[in-house]
Amino acid sequence: MILIVDLCWKEESLSRYEFVSPIEGIVRGAGFPSVTRHFAGIEEGDLDGVSAVILCGTALQDNRFAGEVERFAWLRTCPVPVLGICAGMQAVAAVFGGRIEPDLRIGMTDVSVLRPDGIFAGKELFQAYELHAFAVAPPACFEVLAVSEGGVQAIRHVSRPVYGVLFHPEVRNEWVVTRFLEEHAGPA
């Protein structure tokens, strides 16, 4: 079971269809069952029986999650692999001590892989879609896996399978989510 976390400003917002539904489709297409919960309602029991967590992105002006970072404190001890996408990466970085910094970017960017972690194996350069108002200064316990001209695009915890990507893989790089699942969530 994959736990998909909706970071949109409110449960069942219209943004859900742009940022959460595509991730649900990718997970389903990869053969994994999933359950979706809004970040404001995550409870300890929501991790029972879960093999991985995906934190979805949000709309450009939707930053409620950033004012409620402590709601993500459970990530510090999360026993399963985590992938944060855009706002999800920002939440991951912030809860581990990194910084979220203003940086408006919209459109395609060239992403250079610095460390070929399993998710990015065989990729040296690829194009990705970014839509964000903030970038991440990763905490010391994370290594940078990929960058673009605009800054950090992918990070990984140095000792745990906790990842973040600032670009939106649901737009043109579904393989990122699929590889994360195949590599870290076990058989579908």
Side-chain angles (χ1 to χ4, degrees):
M1 180 70 62
I2 308 303
L3 174 61
I4 298 172
V5 182
D6 176 355
L7 273 69
C8 297
W9 72 283
K10 71 174 187 173
E11 199 167 352
E12 297 300 324
S13 73
L14 284 176
S15 294
R16 181 191 195 293
Y17 298 101
E18 186 175 355
F19 298 97
V20 180
S21 293
I23 298 301
E24 292 170 331
I26 295 167
V27 170
R28 189 172 42 256
F32 290 87
S34 67
V35 61
T36 301
R37 298 280 184 265
H38 189 264
F39 82 92
I42 296 286
E43 297 176 2
E44 193 172 312
D46 287 333
L47 293 174
D48 294 345
V50 167
S51 58
V53 175
I54 299 176
L55 302 158
C56 297
T58 63
L60 193 60
Q61 300 273 331
D62 183 354
N63 299 306
R64 173 184 168 195
F65 75 92
E68 301 180 34
V69 170
E70 278 310 306
R71 286 191 184 266
F72 300 93
W74 56 272
L75 288 170
R76 292 184 195 117
T77 57
C78 185
V80 299
V82 175
L83 173 63
I85 297 171
C86 196
M89 175 174 158
Q90 295 166 21
V92 165
V95 82
F96 280 94
R99 292 187 323 276
I100 301 172
E101 303 171 337
D103 182 47
L104 179 62
R105 305 256 175 198
I106 302 171
M108 297 303 295
T109 190
D110 290 326
V111 177
S112 298
V113 176
L114 303 177
R115 288 189 168 85
D117 183 274
I119 293 175
F120 298 104
K123 301 281 185 179
E124 292 181 18
L125 181 70
F126 61 93
Q127 283 203 320
Y129 181 73
E130 57 185 350
L131 175 70
H132 58 84
F134 296 94
V136 166
C141 58
F142 278 76
E143 61 185 350
V144 176
L145 299 178
V147 297
S148 68
E149 183 180 281
V152 175
Q153 287 290 336
I155 58 175
R156 182 187 193 276
H157 193 280
V158 295
S159 63
R160 297 176 45 209
V162 178
Y163 293 83
V165 294
L166 195 58
F167 60 91
H168 286 269
E170 70 274 21
V171 176
R172 294 185 91 173
N173 296 289
E174 292 182 7
W175 57 268
V176 171
V177 177
T178 303
R179 283 187 179 183
F180 168 77
L181 294 170
E182 291 171 349
E183 184 112 353
H184 296 289

